[in-house]
Amino acid sequence: MTTETNSVLNSVKEAFAPVTEAFTKLQNLEVPEAAREFVKKQAEAAKTRAADAYAGSEKVTNVIETAVAGSVTEAAKISRNIQQAIYQDAEAFFAGIDKLASAKSLSEAAQIQSDMVRARGELFVSRAKATTEYLGKLVTDGAKTAQDNFAKVYGKTA
């Protein structure tokens, strides 16, 4: 029975030998320079468009912020932070594409991708923490304002 098992195992190994060899060669496949340059140019053009869109959104936010006061200022601040986060995400994405375009092998590209995913995760945690702190401050400030207003009303009726 063991001889039959070894025979089957050897047959499977022989049958998949070309696939294994092809996969080994694919990992070290070089990406042509022209392809890397094309991706870099496209990423740079998209990066420029993202910067233009960000500048336009900043102008819109400034107009809104100037036109209205009070609680809208907080909304404008939130909007600006969201816009900045989107812009930073776009910049990081295009920088990542630029790095990936520089990869000369699939294994190097996989390492770059892994580093990018890890950095995105760290950024997500950082933003979540900052958002939680910001919302906590807003709630605290809102409660304080409500308490002050209640005290003013209560003081007048007493």
Side-chain angles (χ1 to χ4, degrees), residues 8-150:
V8 170
L9 184 60
N10 288 337
S11 296
V12 170
K13 283 182 183 180
E14 288 175 22
F16 282 98
V19 174
T20 304
E21 183 181 342
F23 184 70
T24 303
K25 289 180 180 178
L26 183 64
Q27 287 179 338
N28 296 321
L29 181 69
E30 296 241 350
V31 179
E33 181 66 27
R36 293 194 308 260
E37 286 303 315
F38 174 77
V39 171
K40 285 181 182 182
K41 285 179 185 177
Q42 294 304 316
E44 191 60 38
K47 193 175 174 181
T48 301
R49 287 191 298 272
D52 291 344
Y54 176 70
S57 68
E58 271 294 308
K59 289 178 185 176
V60 169
T61 301
N62 284 334
V63 168
I64 291 170
E65 194 173 10
T66 302
V68 185
S71 63
V72 174
T73 301
E74 278 305 314
K77 185 189 276 184
I78 291 168
S79 175
R80 181 173 282 122
N81 287 341
I82 290 169
Q83 292 164 6
Q84 186 176 17
I86 290 170
Y87 179 66
Q88 288 171 345
D89 288 349
E91 276 190 322
F93 175 75
F94 294 124
I97 288 181
D98 195 34
K99 283 182 184 177
L100 279 173
S102 299
K104 294 184 180 180
S105 69
L106 287 179
S107 59
E108 184 179 353
Q111 180 60 47
I112 291 169
Q113 178 65 24
S114 174
D115 293 344
M116 286 172 36
V117 169
R118 185 178 62 257
R120 298 298 306 146
E122 291 170 358
L123 180 62
F124 176 78
V125 169
S126 171
R127 283 185 182 160
K129 182 179 177 184
T131 300
T132 302
E133 291 172 0
Y134 180 73
L135 291 176
K137 182 183 178 302
L138 281 180
V139 169
T140 301
D141 291 349
K144 175 75 171 124
T145 301
Q147 186 179 23
D148 291 346
N149 289 338
F150 181 77

